[in-house]
Amino acid sequence: MPLTLALGLWGIRRENTLWGDESVTYQLAQRDLSQIWHTAQHIDLVHALYYAVMHGIFGLFGGGLLTLRLPSVLAMAVAASGVGLLALRLAGPRAGLLAGLVFPLLPQVQKYAQEGRSYAMVCALVTWATYALVVSVRHRVRWRWAVYGSTMLLACLLHEFAVLALVAHGVTLVVSRVPRPVTRAWSAAAAGVVAGLLPLAVRSAGQSEQVSWIGGPVRLRYFLVVAVVGMACARAPLRGRGPVRLAALAVPILVLPGLLLLIASPVRPLFVDRYVLYSNIGIALLLGAWMDYFHRLRRWSRTAWIAVVAALAALVPSSLSLRTPQSRSNDATAVGAAVRQEGRPGDGLLYLSGRQRILTAANPEDTRFLTDLALAQDPVSSNTLAGVELPAEDIAARMLEFERIVAVRAVGVHSPATPQEEAKTSTLRRHFHAYGTTHVNGARVTVYLRDHGPAAKPVPEPTARERAVG
């Protein structure tokens, strides 16, 4: 746990930047609980519980980057302690220590320990639900199964894909050939989890458009690498104690959740690495037990130690890069700063598409002196993430009232083919020309100038920066 806390606190502010998803958390956590609930009826229902939790934390400690990210650091530290205790119970003290040290060093764990989203909390809950499962198999006490079921249900309510860990647990029990009463007890607990999750799953299915941005597996390489390494470690005769063996627990939770998402991909692409962050429990357990196995055989040659040191050294560049703004797919702070720098008081502001409004919403000062040309109702009053936009013809008419428009366009994100978006792009193409573009991580901020006829007003003189950019 101390190592997890140290790595989590190191560079936690990430140069005082937010990325888009964290910006959503930051905004929604500051709304009233009733507003969070009404917003969840339109979008992000799967994260509603997390936003409510963060609302309470913001209420106690105030908003800010540290308040946003510290819960994830603490949650990942709790997860690390659970991983260590799991390995201790299944393979002994040394394996427990090693697994607890490996877990916080994993790049994916380091990344999401500093993320203002629900994934670290889900990982912690799945870890301790797994520990409750192992304990319940041995002791067969009804209240322990209740603890297991309630912990898993809470994890699933924070993020629905935690239910895939439930599938992994079922496979573990089948492979371990536990007695029939244990199987019945787990089945009852699993049925309770599914029943508790079902209303959320049914309601959130109507919001599937919010994952339409997933065109294919996102960051699949990490999952494949750790899965291969884990399977290789599992081939060694690892130490095991009790009815549940370490490999029988670790391999399913490492491989199955991601594999199930990949199998579903031809129908609906859903694989994103953070959705199955808790898979890292499996690789940490396997690596810890594997190193313990070699230590017991006294095969730690000079070559083995060199390999361990080389592996740790290889993690340094990754650890450094994870604490930079470029480690995320966009930089909402930089987008807002670019809009503030390129825009002039009275300029029009346009988002291509409207959902990118979240990129500048964290700091209203960035857009304070600009006019949002498409906005009919702001996000808070409309109980949405990005507000409600005007009809297409009204947007086009408002655009023609301005000499300069600052447009924000996300990079690598597909814009929906709505009448509003078509009106924005067609009006820019017919009546404006791009004057200068500022590229930031994940977005482009472009200044457009109006094309003028003989009777048109003169174009304002460009600033020195605009001349340089242009």
Side-chain angles (χ1 to χ4, degrees):
M1 183 180 285
L3 178 60
T4 312
L5 289 173
L7 290 175
L9 294 174
W10 168 36
I12 187 173
R13 301 187 69 90
R14 211 159 57 240
E15 300 180 23
N16 295 317
T17 59
L18 285 170
W19 81 286
D21 281 10
E22 286 185 305
S23 178
V24 172
T25 301
Y26 186 79
Q27 296 163 52
L28 285 181
Q30 299 183 72
R31 298 186 188 181
D32 296 335
L33 288 177
S34 61
Q35 292 176 316
I36 293 174
W37 174 248
H38 289 307
T39 300
Q41 305 312 300
H42 303 292
I43 192 170
D44 253 7
L45 181 61
V46 293
H47 297 297
L49 177 58
Y50 173 68
Y51 295 144
V53 170
M54 292 304 297
H55 170 81
I57 293 173
F58 274 32
L60 289 173
F61 303 104
L65 281 178
L66 289 178
T67 309
L68 178 68
R69 292 176 182 153
L70 269 177
S72 293
V73 174
L74 297 175
M76 205 62 89
V78 171
S81 65
V83 169
L85 285 175
L86 270 171
L88 169 65
R89 176 171 284 273
L90 296 174
R94 188 183 298 110
L97 175 63
L98 291 170
L101 291 174
V102 165
F103 182 76
L105 293 175
L106 297 171
Q108 204 177 50
V109 171
Q110 291 191 55
K111 179 176 182 178
Y112 293 105
Q114 296 185 331
E115 190 109 315
R117 299 295 281 174
S118 65
Y119 308 109
M121 293 184 184
V122 173
C123 186
L125 288 167
V126 171
T127 302
W128 281 95
T130 306
Y131 184 79
L133 173 74
V134 172
V135 173
S136 300
V137 168
R138 178 183 290 272
H139 295 287
R140 306 187 196 178
V141 180
R142 184 173 298 177
W143 70 265
R144 294 184 185 275
W145 285 108
V147 170
Y148 166 76
S150 58
T151 307
M152 272 304 307
L153 177 58
L154 184 56
C156 293
L157 293 177
L158 278 173
H159 197 279
E160 291 178 4
F161 287 160
V163 76
L164 300 176
L166 195 68
V167 179
H169 291 163
V171 171
T172 293
L173 296 182
V174 171
V175 172
S176 301
R177 299 180 180 178
V178 297
R180 186 167 296 178
V182 173
T183 304
R184 286 199 299 265
W186 176 83
S187 299
V193 173
V194 173
L197 178 63
L198 193 58
L200 174 64
V202 171
R203 291 290 300 274
S204 63
Q207 300 179 358
S208 59
E209 180 62 26
Q210 71 185 81
V211 293
S212 61
W213 61 271
I214 307 175
V218 179
R219 289 181 289 274
L220 177 61
R221 183 181 302 175
Y222 177 89
F223 170 74
L224 294 177
V225 169
V226 296
V228 170
V229 172
M231 296 296 288
C233 291
R235 292 178 61 85
L238 306 177
R239 177 186 290 180
R241 303 187 302 186
V244 176
R245 299 292 176 172
L246 184 140
L249 177 74
V251 172
I253 203 167
L254 169 63
V255 175
L256 272 180
L259 182 61
L260 290 172
L261 290 182
L262 287 174
I263 291 173
S265 290
V267 179
R268 164 78 74 171
L270 289 173
F271 184 93
V272 181
D273 63 337
R274 57 183 179 267
Y275 292 172
V276 290
L277 176 64
Y278 52 83
S279 295
N280 288 279
I281 301 168
I283 187 63
L285 290 173
L286 289 166
L287 285 173
W290 180 80
M291 288 187 288
D292 174 58
Y293 165 71
F294 269 84
H295 186 275
R296 285 186 287 110
L297 292 182
R298 302 186 182 279
R299 291 183 180 178
W300 281 97
S301 63
R302 179 180 299 178
T303 303
W305 280 111
I306 291 174
V308 171
V309 172
L312 292 175
L315 289 174
V316 173
S318 171
S319 298
L320 291 171
S321 66
L322 287 173
R323 288 155 177 84
T324 65
Q326 291 72 33
S327 63
R328 271 55 178 181
S329 58
N330 59 56
D331 184 348
T333 305
V335 174
V339 170
R340 184 176 64 251
Q341 189 169 20
E342 298 301 330
R344 297 174 177 177
D347 282 355
L349 178 61
L350 203 62
Y351 295 92
L352 307 167
S353 66
R355 68 180 62 173
Q356 306 310 325
R357 196 170 277 106
I358 63 173
L359 294 177
T360 61
N363 184 9
E365 290 299 314
D366 291 333
T367 59
R368 180 181 175 186
F369 299 106
L370 306 181
T371 301
D372 193 329
L373 301 179
L375 189 64
Q377 193 174 6
D378 67 85
V380 176
S381 63
S382 63
N383 292 315
T384 61
L385 295 183
V388 176
E389 297 204 327
L390 294 164
E393 59 272 15
D394 293 343
I395 294 174
R398 292 195 72 187
M399 290 173 64
L400 295 177
E401 296 174 2
F402 286 77
E403 297 295 325
R404 286 169 43 100
I405 292 176
V406 180
V408 178
R409 187 193 303 270
V411 175
V413 177
H414 175 70
S415 296
T418 63
Q420 285 94 335
E421 298 307 319
E422 292 175 4
K424 295 173 190 176
T425 55
S426 64
T427 304
L428 286 175
R429 184 172 60 252
R430 294 175 183 176
H431 302 285
F432 292 82
H433 65 274
Y435 187 68
T437 298
T438 300
H439 296 269
V440 296
N441 181 26
R444 300 195 305 269
V445 178
T446 302
V447 176
Y448 286 90
L449 300 183
R450 178 77 181 275
D451 292 330
H452 295 279
K457 296 186 294 184
V459 178
E461 285 295 320
T463 64
R465 177 177 176 76
E466 287 172 336
R467 284 193 291 269
V469 174

